[in-house]
CSV table of all heavy atoms in Angstrom, one decimal:
chain,number,residue,atom,x,y,z
A,23,GLY,N,-55.7,-49.6,-47.5
A,23,GLY,CA,-55.1,-50.8,-48.2
A,23,GLY,C,-56.2,-51.6,-48.9
A,23,GLY,O,-57.0,-51.1,-49.7
A,24,ARG,N,-56.2,-52.9,-48.7
A,24,ARG,CA,-57.1,-53.8,-49.4
A,24,ARG,C,-58.5,-53.6,-48.9
A,24,ARG,O,-59.4,-54.2,-49.5
A,24,ARG,CB,-56.6,-55.2,-49.3
A,24,ARG,CG,-56.7,-55.8,-47.9
A,24,ARG,CD,-56.1,-57.2,-47.9
A,24,ARG,NE,-56.4,-57.8,-46.6
A,24,ARG,CZ,-56.8,-59.1,-46.5
A,24,ARG,NH1,-56.7,-59.9,-47.6
A,24,ARG,NH2,-57.0,-59.6,-45.3
A,25,TYR,N,-58.7,-52.9,-47.9
A,25,TYR,CA,-60.1,-52.7,-47.3
A,25,TYR,C,-60.6,-51.3,-47.8
A,25,TYR,O,-61.6,-50.8,-47.2
A,25,TYR,CB,-60.0,-52.7,-45.8
A,25,TYR,CG,-59.6,-54.0,-45.3
A,25,TYR,CD1,-58.3,-54.1,-44.7
A,25,TYR,CD2,-60.4,-55.1,-45.3
A,25,TYR,CE1,-57.8,-55.3,-44.2
A,25,TYR,CE2,-59.9,-56.3,-44.9
A,25,TYR,CZ,-58.6,-56.5,-44.3
A,25,TYR,OH,-58.2,-57.7,-43.8
A,26,ASP,N,-60.1,-50.8,-48.9
A,26,ASP,CA,-60.5,-49.4,-49.3
A,26,ASP,C,-62.0,-49.4,-49.7
A,26,ASP,O,-62.7,-48.4,-49.4
A,26,ASP,CB,-59.6,-48.9,-50.4
A,26,ASP,CG,-59.5,-49.8,-51.6
A,26,ASP,OD1,-60.0,-50.9,-51.5
A,26,ASP,OD2,-58.9,-49.4,-52.7
A,27,ILE,N,-62.4,-50.4,-50.4
A,27,ILE,CA,-63.9,-50.4,-50.9
A,27,ILE,C,-64.8,-50.5,-49.6
A,27,ILE,O,-65.8,-49.8,-49.5
A,27,ILE,CB,-64.2,-51.5,-51.9
A,27,ILE,CG1,-63.4,-51.2,-53.1
A,27,ILE,CG2,-65.6,-51.6,-52.2
A,27,ILE,CD1,-63.4,-52.3,-54.1
A,28,LEU,N,-64.4,-51.4,-48.7
A,28,LEU,CA,-65.2,-51.5,-47.4
A,28,LEU,C,-65.2,-50.1,-46.7
A,28,LEU,O,-66.3,-49.7,-46.2
A,28,LEU,CB,-64.6,-52.6,-46.6
A,28,LEU,CG,-65.2,-52.8,-45.2
A,28,LEU,CD1,-66.7,-53.2,-45.4
A,28,LEU,CD2,-64.4,-53.8,-44.5
A,29,ALA,N,-64.0,-49.5,-46.6
A,29,ALA,CA,-64.0,-48.1,-46.0
A,29,ALA,C,-64.9,-47.1,-46.6
A,29,ALA,O,-65.6,-46.4,-45.9
A,29,ALA,CB,-62.5,-47.7,-45.9
A,30,VAL,N,-64.8,-47.1,-47.9
A,30,VAL,CA,-65.6,-46.1,-48.7
A,30,VAL,C,-67.1,-46.4,-48.4
A,30,VAL,O,-67.9,-45.5,-48.1
A,30,VAL,CB,-65.3,-46.2,-50.2
A,30,VAL,CG1,-66.4,-45.3,-51.0
A,30,VAL,CG2,-64.0,-45.6,-50.5
A,31,GLY,N,-67.5,-47.7,-48.5
A,31,GLY,CA,-68.9,-48.0,-48.3
A,31,GLY,C,-69.4,-47.7,-46.8
A,31,GLY,O,-70.5,-47.2,-46.6
A,32,SER,N,-68.5,-47.9,-45.9
A,32,SER,CA,-68.8,-47.7,-44.5
A,32,SER,C,-68.9,-46.2,-44.2
A,32,SER,O,-69.7,-45.8,-43.5
A,32,SER,CB,-67.7,-48.3,-43.6
A,32,SER,OG,-67.6,-49.7,-43.8
A,33,LEU,N,-68.0,-45.4,-44.8
A,33,LEU,CA,-68.1,-44.0,-44.6
A,33,LEU,C,-69.4,-43.4,-45.2
A,33,LEU,O,-69.9,-42.5,-44.7
A,33,LEU,CB,-66.8,-43.3,-45.1
A,33,LEU,CG,-65.6,-43.6,-44.3
A,33,LEU,CD1,-64.3,-43.1,-45.0
A,33,LEU,CD2,-65.7,-43.1,-42.9
A,34,TYR,N,-69.7,-43.9,-46.4
A,34,TYR,CA,-70.9,-43.4,-47.0
A,34,TYR,C,-72.1,-43.8,-46.1
A,34,TYR,O,-73.0,-43.0,-45.9
A,34,TYR,CB,-71.1,-44.0,-48.4
A,34,TYR,CG,-70.4,-43.5,-49.6
A,34,TYR,CD1,-70.1,-44.1,-50.7
A,34,TYR,CD2,-69.8,-42.2,-49.5
A,34,TYR,CE1,-69.4,-43.6,-51.8
A,34,TYR,CE2,-69.1,-41.6,-50.5
A,34,TYR,CZ,-69.0,-42.3,-51.7
A,34,TYR,OH,-68.3,-41.7,-52.7
A,35,GLY,N,-72.1,-45.0,-45.6
A,35,GLY,CA,-73.2,-45.5,-44.7
A,35,GLY,C,-73.3,-44.6,-43.5
A,35,GLY,O,-74.4,-44.2,-43.1
A,36,LEU,N,-72.2,-44.3,-42.9
A,36,LEU,CA,-72.2,-43.4,-41.7
A,36,LEU,C,-72.7,-42.1,-42.0
A,36,LEU,O,-73.5,-41.5,-41.2
A,36,LEU,CB,-70.8,-43.3,-41.1
A,36,LEU,CG,-70.5,-42.4,-39.9
A,36,LEU,CD1,-71.3,-42.9,-38.8
A,36,LEU,CD2,-69.1,-42.4,-39.6
A,37,ALA,N,-72.3,-41.5,-43.2
A,37,ALA,CA,-72.8,-40.2,-43.6
A,37,ALA,C,-74.3,-40.2,-43.7
A,37,ALA,O,-75.0,-39.3,-43.3
A,37,ALA,CB,-72.1,-39.7,-44.9
A,38,LEU,N,-74.9,-41.3,-44.3
A,38,LEU,CA,-76.3,-41.4,-44.5
A,38,LEU,C,-77.1,-41.5,-43.2
A,38,LEU,O,-78.1,-40.9,-43.0
A,38,LEU,CB,-76.6,-42.6,-45.5
A,38,LEU,CG,-76.2,-42.4,-46.9
A,38,LEU,CD1,-76.4,-43.7,-47.6
A,38,LEU,CD2,-77.1,-41.3,-47.6
A,39,VAL,N,-76.5,-42.3,-42.3
A,39,VAL,CA,-77.1,-42.4,-40.9
A,39,VAL,C,-77.2,-41.1,-40.2
A,39,VAL,O,-78.1,-40.7,-39.6
A,39,VAL,CB,-76.4,-43.6,-40.1
A,39,VAL,CG1,-76.8,-43.5,-38.6
A,39,VAL,CG2,-76.7,-44.9,-40.8
A,40,LEU,N,-76.0,-40.4,-40.2
A,40,LEU,CA,-75.9,-39.1,-39.5
A,40,LEU,C,-76.9,-38.1,-40.2
A,40,LEU,O,-77.5,-37.3,-39.5
A,40,LEU,CB,-74.5,-38.6,-39.5
A,40,LEU,CG,-73.5,-39.4,-38.6
A,40,LEU,CD1,-72.1,-38.9,-38.9
A,40,LEU,CD2,-73.9,-39.4,-37.2
A,41,LEU,N,-77.0,-38.1,-41.5
A,41,LEU,CA,-78.0,-37.2,-42.2
A,41,LEU,C,-79.4,-37.6,-41.8
A,41,LEU,O,-80.2,-36.7,-41.6
A,41,LEU,CB,-77.7,-37.2,-43.7
A,41,LEU,CG,-76.5,-36.5,-44.1
A,41,LEU,CD1,-76.2,-36.8,-45.6
A,41,LEU,CD2,-76.6,-35.0,-44.0
A,42,PHE,N,-79.7,-38.8,-41.7
A,42,PHE,CA,-81.0,-39.3,-41.4
A,42,PHE,C,-81.4,-38.8,-40.0
A,42,PHE,O,-82.4,-38.3,-39.7
A,42,PHE,CB,-81.1,-40.8,-41.5
A,42,PHE,CG,-82.5,-41.3,-41.1
A,42,PHE,CD1,-83.5,-41.2,-42.0
A,42,PHE,CD2,-82.7,-41.9,-39.9
A,42,PHE,CE1,-84.8,-41.7,-41.7
A,42,PHE,CE2,-83.9,-42.3,-39.5
A,42,PHE,CZ,-85.0,-42.3,-40.4
A,43,ILE,N,-80.5,-39.0,-39.0
A,43,ILE,CA,-80.6,-38.7,-37.6
A,43,ILE,C,-80.9,-37.1,-37.5
A,43,ILE,O,-81.7,-36.7,-36.8
A,43,ILE,CB,-79.5,-39.1,-36.7
A,43,ILE,CG1,-79.5,-40.7,-36.6
A,43,ILE,CG2,-79.5,-38.5,-35.4
A,43,ILE,CD1,-78.2,-41.3,-36.0
A,44,THR,N,-80.1,-36.4,-38.3
A,44,THR,CA,-80.2,-35.0,-38.3
A,44,THR,C,-81.6,-34.5,-38.8
A,44,THR,O,-82.2,-33.7,-38.2
A,44,THR,CB,-79.1,-34.3,-39.2
A,44,THR,OG1,-77.9,-34.7,-38.6
A,44,THR,CG2,-79.2,-32.8,-39.2
A,45,GLY,N,-82.0,-35.2,-39.9
A,45,GLY,CA,-83.3,-34.9,-40.5
A,45,GLY,C,-84.5,-35.2,-39.5
A,45,GLY,O,-85.4,-34.4,-39.4
A,46,VAL,N,-84.4,-36.3,-38.8
A,46,VAL,CA,-85.4,-36.6,-37.8
A,46,VAL,C,-85.4,-35.6,-36.6
A,46,VAL,O,-86.4,-35.1,-36.2
A,46,VAL,CB,-85.1,-38.1,-37.3
A,46,VAL,CG1,-86.1,-38.3,-36.1
A,46,VAL,CG2,-85.5,-39.1,-38.4
A,47,SER,N,-84.2,-35.3,-36.2
A,47,SER,CA,-84.1,-34.4,-35.0
A,47,SER,C,-84.6,-33.0,-35.3
A,47,SER,O,-85.0,-32.3,-34.5
A,47,SER,CB,-82.7,-34.3,-34.4
A,47,SER,OG,-81.8,-33.8,-35.3
A,48,LEU,N,-84.5,-32.6,-36.6
A,48,LEU,CA,-84.9,-31.3,-37.0
A,48,LEU,C,-86.3,-31.3,-37.6
A,48,LEU,O,-86.8,-30.3,-38.2
A,48,LEU,CB,-83.9,-30.7,-38.0
A,48,LEU,CG,-82.5,-30.4,-37.5
A,48,LEU,CD1,-81.6,-30.0,-38.6
A,48,LEU,CD2,-82.5,-29.4,-36.3
């Protein structure tokens, strides 16, 4: 709904954090 931009930004942020953690762990 009206939180769609917040959701997109949050999901992008989550993806970046998970990719960073993966990079560090590997």
